[in-house]
Amino acid sequence: MTNGTINTDPRLFNGCEVGGYRNRDGWLPACDWPADSQIQFGQDLSGKFSFFEVFMEHPDPRFHRGEGPTVADAEQNAWARLERWRACDHEWVRRDGGAAGSTDTCGRCTKCRGVQTSMYPPMTTCRVCGVATSDHTDRNDAYLCAVHGHWSVLPRELWREHHWRQQMRDLGRRRISDMQGLEEEVWAAQSIFCEPPADIPRELDLVMARYRSRS
């Protein structure tokens, strides 16, 4: 049972469950997609075509998509492309060509043109330890690894809004005595959408500042 609907195919998610808001008619995939995959489908925002998307595990493509006039057509398109993928003796190259500063980690096959995720390290490095990463950025857009980008390690003057919200979530899972005197702020952040304090810039402000600096 999912949101009051009966899901007869556990691979369907994100409103595509039978009876879900994207699948009122109870449509089911016809092809033999992996049992551990996740499937979603629908109509493009333009209303001009339908799409069918599958999230799978290696060695299949992690993300796979087909398009067509109907969802059934989109699935058949995706399945034909997956069969070409599986029959190919792949030769991989970086999709981005190895451009300096790229965060693209995907590979593209020079034979079937298939794309696979997480094949290459990003061409960006942590400003603290130098490891290849694109996990986090500080408010100056410097890249940081998962360790040095965590709010508990990063100096507060370099926090972005998501660092503050992560701190609120983490503190909310601890005892009141561990909240560092932030009990009311943690409660507000978890109860309603709460604006961060004045010293933490809003994400939109950072994006606009970056845009103005490049124009």
Side-chain angles (χ1 to χ4, degrees):
M1 188 75 70
T2 305
N3 296 328
T5 65
I6 298 175
N7 185 0
T8 58
D9 188 334
R11 298 171 300 181
L12 304 182
F13 80 114
N14 197 20
C16 297
E17 305 87 356
V18 171
Y21 73 92
R22 284 181 168 179
N23 193 13
R24 298 297 187 193
D25 296 333
W27 184 85
L28 292 172
C31 299
D32 188 22
W33 301 101
D36 60 351
S37 62
Q38 289 188 296
I39 298 171
Q40 64 179 4
F41 47 81
Q43 194 172 53
D44 179 70
L45 293 176
S46 68
K48 296 180 180 179
F49 62 89
S50 296
F51 65 87
F52 182 91
E53 296 176 340
V54 189
F55 300 86
M56 297 175 282
E57 297 296 330
H58 288 289
D60 285 328
R62 296 293 299 275
F63 172 75
H64 193 65
R65 178 182 170 102
E67 297 176 356
T70 67
V71 171
D73 292 324
E75 182 191 12
Q76 291 302 318
N77 173 262
W79 184 255
R81 291 178 57 240
L82 181 63
E83 288 186 317
R84 289 197 297 272
W85 168 290
R86 289 175 169 175
C88 183
D89 182 18
H90 299 296
E91 290 185 359
W92 297 106
V93 295
R94 289 191 72 114
R95 183 171 67 172
D96 63 2
S102 173
T103 59
D104 191 343
T105 63
C106 293
R108 182 183 294 280
C109 176
T110 60
K111 294 182 176 180
C112 71
R113 307 301 293 170
V115 173
Q116 182 61 290
T117 62
S118 304
M119 292 197 69
Y120 299 95
M123 302 297 289
T124 50
T125 58
C126 174
R127 69 169 179 82
V128 178
C129 65
V131 67
T133 185
S134 59
D135 288 347
H136 301 277
T137 54
D138 64 20
R139 71 175 64 175
N140 295 323
D141 293 327
Y143 287 98
L144 297 160
C145 66
V147 173
H148 295 110
H150 194 270
W151 66 265
S152 63
V153 176
L154 187 66
R156 185 181 174 98
E157 61 267 21
L158 293 176
W159 283 9
R160 302 177 78 104
E161 185 174 338
H162 72 84
H163 292 108
W164 175 78
R165 295 196 182 281
Q166 186 62 59
Q167 181 202 34
M168 294 295 103
R169 286 192 292 270
D170 288 352
L171 290 179
R173 290 191 277 267
R174 302 179 187 179
R175 298 171 300 179
I176 292 180
S177 59
D178 294 333
M179 289 188 182
Q180 305 170 18
L182 297 172
E183 297 91 340
E184 292 186 8
E185 192 172 341
V186 170
W187 177 86
Q190 292 190 330
S191 301
I192 57 176
F193 183 80
C194 181
E195 291 291 334
D199 67 314
I200 305 298
R202 280 55 172 177
E203 196 63 31
L204 180 60
D205 294 338
L206 292 175
V207 171
M208 292 304 297
R210 187 187 315 123
Y211 174 79
R212 286 192 294 269
S213 69
R214 295 175 179 174
S215 61

